[in-house]
Amino acid sequence: MKGKSIFGIALIVIGAIMLFFSDYIAGQVAQGKLQIQSAQSQVDTADTLFKQSEYTKPVGKIFTGGAQRKIDEGQAQVDYYEGLSSKLKIFGIILIVAGAGVLFIGRKKG
């Protein structure tokens, strides 16, 4: 019986740790999204200025092309970590429920 209790508690603790890291990652992702939005608005502003003339369009691409690539890479990383955060949250909840099930359902009445 003690083995089941230890196993159930371990599942709950691991699930709680997963939820903690999920929350931390979600906070970092939110910060990253704000930085990407800010950078994207700056690049869009520069693009708008350079798109005023057919002669300045190629020059604008030279100045904003590298920044846009970095923004796109950052967005890909945000998407990856957003998915990771979601998976950690789901599996954390599953482990907590499973741990509670092992603790409370496995007990004998009496």
Side-chain angles (χ1 to χ4, degrees):
M1 189 66 172
K2 274 196 180 236
K4 278 187 179 180
S5 295
I6 292 172
F7 181 66
I9 291 170
L11 287 177
I12 291 171
V13 169
I14 292 169
I17 290 170
M18 291 174 91
L19 287 178
F20 171 77
F21 281 114
S22 169
D23 242 12
Y24 175 76
I25 292 171
Q28 296 299 311
V29 164
Q31 286 179 356
K33 282 183 175 183
L34 289 175
Q35 289 175 343
I36 288 172
Q37 269 183 335
S38 172
Q40 187 66 58
S41 74
Q42 290 175 357
V43 167
D44 291 345
T45 301
D47 272 345
T48 302
L49 293 174
F50 283 111
K51 285 182 181 179
Q52 299 298 322
S53 166
E54 288 296 320
Y55 301 109
T56 58
K57 271 187 185 181
V59 175
K61 290 293 179 193
I62 292 171
F63 286 118
T64 61
Q68 188 62 52
R69 271 191 301 281
K70 285 185 180 183
I71 290 170
D72 294 342
E73 290 170 5
Q75 186 61 49
Q77 282 185 334
V78 161
D79 293 342
Y80 169 78
Y81 284 108
E82 202 167 32
L84 179 63
S85 174
S86 295
K87 289 174 189 171
L88 280 173
K89 186 175 285 185
I90 290 168
F91 287 118
I93 291 169
I94 290 170
L95 285 179
I96 290 172
V97 169
V102 167
L103 277 178
F104 298 114
I105 294 174
R107 289 189 177 180
K108 290 183 180 178
K109 294 182 181 180

